[in-house]
Amino acid sequence: MRKPFVAGNWKMNTDSRSSVELAKGVVDGSVKLAGRDVDVAVCPPFVYLQAVARAVSSSSVAVGAQDVYYGVKGAFTGEISASMLKDTGCTYALCGHSERRHVIGETDELINKKVAAAIGGGLLPILCVGELQSEREAGQTEEVVTRHIKKGLAGLSAEKASAVTVAYEPVWAIGTGLTATPEQAQEAHEFIRGLLAEIYDGRLADEIRILYGGSVKADNAADLMGRADIDGVLVGGASLKVDDFVAIIEAAA
Ligand code: 13P
């Protein structure tokens, strides 16, 4: 049985005070869910990771980074390694978020190195995949997702791949208020799980969690997570409001 997983991607939001307040709010809101089977993580900007990690340290709320660099150490100005993130208190690292693919220009090859480096550094990568609106309209959703998954996981043994969570985030649903319908999301998730079974085996495909992301709100989370292959959600905007995020965690629990 896959344990539900709710992660908040704060993107480039909050400041030193509000990041800690938000983290504490999530901790307080999650207390009443103690013992319920749901994993929760928040992904603040790099500069607030340490403060947020401290704020959640006595709780079951985990911390994730929004990105990770593949180099171990040395002359990579501006980059942050997996071991630094681990040292700062991170458990997870997002890899290949659509904004990094489409705004920053990250390639599948780079993302693959990041996934491998995250695992090598003791982090659990959350590999984000998903098609653009034009790609969906052109009937290329499966082709795009296949490329993101196959290239993103290239060279990873089944054992290493078992550390990965996949997040299906159709780009047209991110920050637009246009959520994929539970049927559309389930269809994509089922396809991804089939792909994982093809690349690895059925057992691993059965174990890997696949999250949905894209305009998840308190009022659509339960319906999405009620589908067979939707194991949780990766939340952007609604993760910046304590009440909304906690309501989503409640829906998962
Ligand atoms: P929104 O929930 O704001 O659409 O963002 C989704 C996302 O990109 C999470 O990583």
Side-chain angles (χ1 to χ4, degrees), residues 46-200:
F46 281 137
V47 286
Y48 307 129
L49 280 171
Q50 203 152 22
V52 167
R54 225 175 277 132
V56 303
S57 62
S58 59
S59 78
S60 60
V61 175
V63 177
Q66 296 175 16
D67 186 29
V68 55
Y69 192 63
Y70 67 82
V72 174
K73 63 181 218 166
F76 302 106
T77 302
E79 296 296 343
I80 313 280
S81 72
S83 63
M84 290 171 176
L85 294 173
K86 180 90 184 159
D87 182 43
T88 304
C90 287
T91 303
Y92 299 95
L94 303 182
C95 297
H97 188 277
S98 85
E99 285 138 26
R100 298 210 61 86
R101 290 179 188 270
H102 300 293
V103 181
I104 315 283
E106 290 195 2
T107 62
D108 286 305
E109 290 70 23
L110 176 61
I111 294 160
N112 175 238
K113 288 183 187 171
K114 292 184 170 192
V115 171
I119 298 169
L123 298 173
L124 303 173
I126 301 175
L127 172 62
C128 304
V129 306
E131 80 288 358
L132 297 164
Q133 174 145 29
S134 57
E135 292 166 335
R136 176 163 279 263
E137 282 164 5
Q140 294 166 343
T141 298
E142 293 188 353
E143 184 187 325
V144 171
V145 166
T146 301
R147 187 177 72 236
H148 289 171
I149 294 278
K150 286 198 169 164
K151 292 197 166 177
L153 299 177
L156 289 186
S157 65
E159 193 197 338
K160 292 215 161 133
S162 68
V164 174
T165 296
V166 173
Y168 170 64
E169 300 204 302
V171 182
W172 48 272
I174 296 179
T176 57
L178 270 182
T179 319
T181 63
E183 292 73 24
Q184 282 173 321
Q186 165 58 24
E187 188 181 26
H189 283 227
E190 192 178 348
F191 176 77
I192 291 168
R193 205 174 302 286
L195 200 55
L196 293 169
E198 207 179 278
I199 302 170
Y200 295 103

